[in-house]
Amino acid sequence: MHIIPKSTRHTKAGTFRRGVPYEVDEKAALIKKHVLPHTHGENPVFEKVSATKAKKAAETASAPVSDAEEKANTTDDTPSK
């Protein structure tokens, strides 16, 4: 099952970033307890989507860059001693 969160959620199953598609196993205990209840109702937090829509969303979604990656990609202008 593929889901796209409408807002960032920190759950026991993990952190789900807004607009980033995720493929989850709906039979997993943590997903059943902490994610699936939020896919129903009038205004669900997680939108269930097809695999093709998830793939298309993945191409346009911007994944956050971790601090370690950002530091590795920047150059330090101070001279080394």
Side-chain angles (χ1 to χ4, degrees):
M1 174 176 76
H2 297 276
I3 58 169
I4 298 178
K6 292 183 180 177
S7 62
T8 298
R9 294 291 169 158
H10 302 283
T11 69
K12 288 189 178 188
T15 299
F16 298 92
R17 302 273 179 200
R18 178 182 64 86
V20 178
Y22 294 91
E23 183 177 359
V24 295
D25 179 14
E26 57 189 313
K27 295 179 183 176
L30 287 175
I31 299 298
K32 277 185 182 178
K33 188 172 183 179
H34 300 287
V35 175
L36 291 183
H38 299 288
T39 60
H40 307 293
E42 192 174 304
N43 190 16
V45 175
F46 296 104
E47 177 186 3
K48 288 184 181 181
V49 296
S50 66
T52 53
K53 186 173 180 181
K55 184 177 179 182
K56 189 177 284 189
E59 293 171 357
T60 61
S62 59
V65 176
S66 70
D67 290 337
E69 288 175 312
E70 189 172 325
K71 287 178 183 176
N73 292 331
T74 58
T75 57
D76 190 8
D77 291 340
T78 58
S80 60
K81 293 182 180 182

